[in-house]
Amino acid sequence: MTTASFDPAALRAAVRGPVALPGEPEWDAARQAWNLAADQHPAAVLHATGPDDVIAAVGCARRAGLRVAPQGIGHGAGALGPLDDTLLLRTTRMTHVEVDAAARRARVEAGAAWEPVARLAGEHDLAALHGSSGTVGVAGYTLGGGLGWLARQHGLASEAVTAIELVTADGRLRRATAEQEPELFWALRGGGGSFGVVTALEFELFPLAEAYGGGIFWPGEHATAVMRAYREWAATLPDSVSTTVRLLRLPPFPQVPEPLRNVPIVDVGLVVAGDAASGAELVAPLLAATPPPLANRVGPLRAPDLAFVHGDPEQPVPGVGHHALLRELPDAAIDALVAVAGADSGSPLLSCELRQLGGALGRRAPGSGALGALDAAFALYGVGIPAGPEVAQAVQERLDAVVEAVAPWQAPTGYLNFADRPGGDSADLFDGATHARLLALKREVDPEGLIVSGHALALPAA
Ligand SMILES: Cc1cc2nc3c(=O)[nH]c(=O)nc-3n(C[C@H](O)[C@H](O)[C@H](O)COP(=O)(O)OP(=O)(O)OC[C@H]3O[C@@H](n4cnc5c(N)ncnc54)[C@H](O)[C@@H]3O)c2cc1C
């Protein structure tokens, strides 16, 4: 793109939402993402109030030679590259959520987080396909696929989407459904946020009257035994159960119970979409095959509780992560992970997690979106808190070492929502045909690369 002069007054006159500029009193608050590790320096920040603001802002940015980076709550901010000559378009004032219980559908504005969706749907014994944290944004999560507690039963959140409204680089508000704008509809379901500024999403909800789940925690010295027992147990589970296993070192935060603070822990997280009696029966073989736990926090859940089962932070925190998809988890892979991130490894990471895939996640339905399925057995995600430059470097090096350790079992593709690093190549995330199709659509709808996303589809320099 060519950079012309940016006239903030013209932008302010064109939109209803507040515009913040460098040096102004509200600048630091306006540019701050949920991920406190992201130090964002755009040319300006607009907090859009609705589609009209988005249309006006895209037009102003195009005329001024600025790019536009859509951002919701900002969990994925770490993956955005430098924001020079970029308007950061925040959607956090666009948070309206509607649940139509009879139709089992929800419609949300692009800045909504999952928690209100889970709460409103739960009032009708319905569940959305959100992930482990209610603070994550519906839009960013769903555009990247969306791997949640009901995913082995119902698939990726992107597969439950029925419509997405967005403003494309030409300033047009479009509605993408299976019938209308089908190529955009395909791309937006798991292909990321490169195709426009999403203003609203509509998706299916699923009946969930009762569930069972939580976390079971063991001292870190049992990691190898627990992970091996977990793998055998997980392989026997029906699709109605989703599980994780993590190597943890939890900070002394108030919400972390005393025996779990600052010590190496291995935990298994699970959600059974079913009643407590059948849930307890499914968990029993794991407990029989492992040493006595430090804490067993598994019990009956209602649908909205699923947004909190994992104990993810509920306030903004700094975090950097890295990931890989694994084809299989043999003993050697478990040994490699425990060596690099377990109790005696000296790892500075907060968590090194494996999420069980399979079930509906492995089945690509007719008419599925750009992601459709995850062709792997487990998703590995490591994360650390970069508290100061030295720790930040140690965390990044350890994240590299974790992914390197599992390289022999790594699947050829990746997962956008766990690809946290800036400058990542989207070609590493998708199979060749999917990536080429995404790139072709990006060239068609945004030939100048106006829209900047965390995982930009790299266009040849203009
Ligand atoms: C605590 C925590 C828990 C998580 N748990 C899970 C999980 O269980 N499963 C899972 O799959 N992922 C999970 N994630 C990853 C999460 O899904 C991604 O970080 C996702 O990108 C966050 O979306 P957001 O809207 O909150 O973030 P943002 O940073 O606001 O958005 C991320 C990217 O999405 C795109 N985007 C956002 N809004 C728009 C828009 N309106 N129009 C166009 N593009 C847009 C942009 O490219 C943006 O850079 C988790 C992350 C955290 C921090």
Side-chain angles (χ1 to χ4, degrees):
M1 296 194 63
T2 50
T3 308
S5 58
F6 168 47
D7 175 8
L11 177 62
R12 282 190 163 128
V15 296
R16 278 185 299 153
V19 173
L21 297 169
E24 293 182 343
E26 61 278 12
W27 177 241
D28 283 337
R31 71 187 182 89
Q32 182 60 67
W34 197 92
N35 185 343
L36 300 178
D39 186 18
Q40 309 190 105
H41 289 280
V45 181
L46 164 67
H47 280 89
T49 59
D52 289 347
D53 272 3
V54 176
I55 293 168
V58 165
C60 280
R62 202 178 48 239
R63 286 188 293 279
L66 293 182
R67 303 179 304 162
V68 176
Q71 185 171 72
I73 297 161
H75 288 80
L80 276 174
L83 295 175
D84 307 346
D85 297 328
T86 302
L87 171 66
L88 185 63
L89 196 160
R90 307 291 307 265
T91 57
T92 47
R93 295 193 176 203
M94 298 166 59
T95 56
H96 187 66
V97 175
E98 279 167 51
V99 166
D100 179 343
R104 291 204 286 104
R105 292 282 169 92
R107 176 181 165 87
V108 306
E109 283 191 297
W114 276 114
E115 189 278 328
V117 183
R119 186 165 29 81
L120 289 175
E123 287 173 7
H124 306 280
D125 286 342
L126 294 171
L129 300 186
H130 57 77
S132 60
S133 167
T135 67
V136 165
V138 175
Y141 171 90
T142 307
L143 291 167
L147 171 58
W149 285 120
L150 301 175
R152 282 169 35 83
Q153 187 172 33
H154 298 300
L156 293 161
S158 52
E159 291 298 291
V161 169
T162 53
I164 296 192
E165 289 166 7
L166 76 163
V167 176
T168 42
D170 55 7
R172 275 174 58 200
L173 177 61
R174 309 194 200 197
R175 182 173 165 87
T177 67
E179 292 79 32
Q180 222 175 318
E181 307 278 8
E183 193 63 3
L184 271 173
F185 186 60
W186 169 81
L188 292 165
R189 289 177 299 145
S194 293
F195 305 96
V197 183
V198 170
T199 56
L201 300 97
E202 295 170 12
F203 47 87
E204 262 184 275
L205 302 169
F206 297 86
L208 189 74
E210 47 189 343
Y212 182 80
I216 309 171
F217 302 81
W218 292 265
E221 72 216 47
H222 297 312
T224 305
V226 169
M227 289 176 83
R228 289 184 184 192
Y230 160 81
R231 176 196 57 201
E232 302 303 315
W233 169 73
T236 67
L237 296 172
D239 295 355
S240 56
V241 189
S242 288
T243 69
T244 66
V245 65
R246 295 183 293 188
L247 298 168
L248 293 174
R249 193 181 276 271
L250 299 169
F253 290 161
Q255 68 269 31
V256 177
E258 182 59 53
L260 307 181
R261 289 185 187 177
N262 244 337
V263 289
I265 299 284
V266 55
D267 90 318
V268 168
L270 66 121
V271 167
V272 178
D275 61 36
S278 55
E281 206 173 302
L282 284 162
V283 176
L286 175 69
L287 292 171
T290 46
L294 266 180
N296 182 344
R297 291 167 184 268
V298 171
L301 302 169
R302 302 302 304 248
D305 301 332
L306 269 56
F308 303 98
V309 166
H310 216 225
D312 286 342
E314 285 166 34
Q315 299 299 326
V317 286
V320 290
H322 199 18
H323 91 294
L325 296 185
L326 304 188
R327 287 180 279 105
E328 53 180 344
L329 187 66
D331 285 353
I334 291 175
D335 293 348
L337 278 176
V338 172
V340 73
D344 300 324
S345 65
S347 166
L349 301 184
L350 174 71
S351 166
C352 182
E353 169 177 1
L354 289 166
R355 290 201 183 189
Q356 184 187 2
L357 306 179
L361 281 169
R363 298 190 282 269
R364 208 167 256 99
S368 67
L371 189 56
L374 287 169
D375 299 318
F378 289 92
L380 168 72
Y381 181 69
V383 64
I385 297 180
E390 271 175 35
V391 182
Q393 190 177 341
V395 165
Q396 291 291 8
E397 285 170 6
R398 190 59 62 131
L399 290 169
D400 284 339
V402 165
V403 171
E404 179 72 16
V406 295
W409 306 282
Q410 194 168 345
T413 53
Y415 178 49
L416 200 57
N417 278 359
F418 289 171
D420 274 359
R421 289 185 163 176
D425 188 348
S426 56
D428 295 340
L429 299 175
F430 300 98
D431 65 72
T434 302
H435 188 253
R437 187 171 161 189
L438 289 169
L439 200 49
L441 181 65
K442 174 74 174 172
R443 281 200 196 96
E444 186 190 321
V445 296
D446 185 15
E448 297 205 315
L450 182 97
I451 304 295
V452 179
S453 112
H455 306 94
L457 290 158
L459 293 174

